[in-house]
Amino acid sequence: MMMQQSKVFTAVLQVTSMILFALVSAAAPQYMWLFFIIYFLIIMIITSRMAMGGLKKVDQLRGSPVFKEDNATTVMASDTMLIQEVKEQFKSPMLLMILSFALIFIIPPLYWSYVSPYVENLVKQSTTNDFIVRFIVFLAFYVFMIAILYVPRTLLMGRTKQKQLYYPRVYAVYREGVVLDGKLLEYSKDMCYKIDGKRRFVELHSDRLPFTVRLYTLEPSKLADRLIEVGLRECRA
């Protein structure tokens, strides 16, 4: 459900962005760079909050924690496989960022040299209004950009099915939820756990979360028992 909402939000955001960019480009091109800066600052704030979706501020929890871990960093450092996992996790996003950055410099000259004249002539067959012509030409430009940039994103990120890992340094398990680095993650009906006794961690999985929570501890079996106490079940293989 959470992932579906994220996809809908992304689609709506892309359509809205293209229309806004085209309107500003057609009406006041001299302010386009200022609009870009303000717009992307707002988007960064929204997406950063969405990336930590499911975490809330800790107001007042009742009772004491049933399990608390203050040395997760020490246990994490002993997991030799974690570094490789992190590398694999960021490989596709980094490659996508580099490729997208290169395409941003390649696409505009191609569009304005070869595609723009064709679009402009086509639009002028239906209207002579200069603003409408400029708007549609710029809108076609942003659609062209998004379409080209979507190809490498699909090829690279489409292969990455695994969620991002979130491994808190300090956490505490309460009956209402788990406090991760000072933020509360409430339990959901579909939440379950996986235990890896050899690498000494327990993972929390939920379709409602955009990430997988990995809880490192010296006592993974004890942590799993406490999670069962608060109502969680072990994930099915």
Side-chain angles (χ1 to χ4, degrees), residues 61 63-73 75 168-175 177-182 187 215-220 222-227 229-230:
L61 290 170
S64 302
V66 297
F67 188 91
K68 188 175 182 181
E69 181 61 74
D70 296 320
N71 298 312
T73 306
V75 184
R169 290 170 174 77
V170 178
Y171 63 87
V173 178
Y174 288 81
R175 298 198 177 276
V178 185
V179 176
L180 311 168
D181 293 328
Y187 304 123
L215 305 175
Y216 280 94
T217 176
L218 290 171
E219 303 175 294
K222 182 180 178 180
L223 173 56
D225 290 339
R226 297 297 175 267
L227 291 173
E229 282 183 22
V230 299

Side-chain angles (χ1 to χ4, degrees), residues 176-196:
E176 294 91 340
V178 185
V179 176
L180 311 168
D181 293 328
K183 296 288 186 179
L184 175 63
L185 173 64
E186 294 179 333
Y187 304 123
S188 59
K189 291 182 179 180
D190 72 326
M191 186 176 288
C192 61
Y193 73 88
K194 289 182 181 180
I195 182 172
D196 190 323

Side-chain angles (χ1 to χ4, degrees), residues 3 41 57 79 106 137 155 160 177:
M3 300 303 290
L41 284 174
K57 290 183 178 180
D79 185 3
I106 297 172
V137 169
L155 293 175
T160 308

Side-chain angles (χ1 to χ4, degrees), residues 117-144:
Y118 173 78
V119 175
E120 186 174 349
N121 291 333
L122 194 63
V123 175
K124 284 182 177 179
Q125 293 177 13
S126 302
T127 180
T128 56
N129 186 297
D130 289 339
F131 175 77
I132 295 177
V133 172
R134 290 198 305 271
F135 169 72
I136 295 178
V137 169
F138 276 109
L139 182 61
F141 167 66
Y142 293 117
V143 171
F144 186 72

Side-chain angles (χ1 to χ4, degrees), residues 4-27:
Q4 290 178 345
Q5 291 177 346
S6 178
K7 289 180 179 179
V8 171
F9 173 80
T10 302
V12 172
L13 180 63
Q14 286 180 345
V15 173
T16 305
S17 301
M18 288 187 292
I19 294 173
L20 286 174
F21 290 159
L23 282 172
V24 175
S25 299

Side-chain angles (χ1 to χ4, degrees), residues 74 132 166:
T74 303
I132 295 177
Y166 173 44

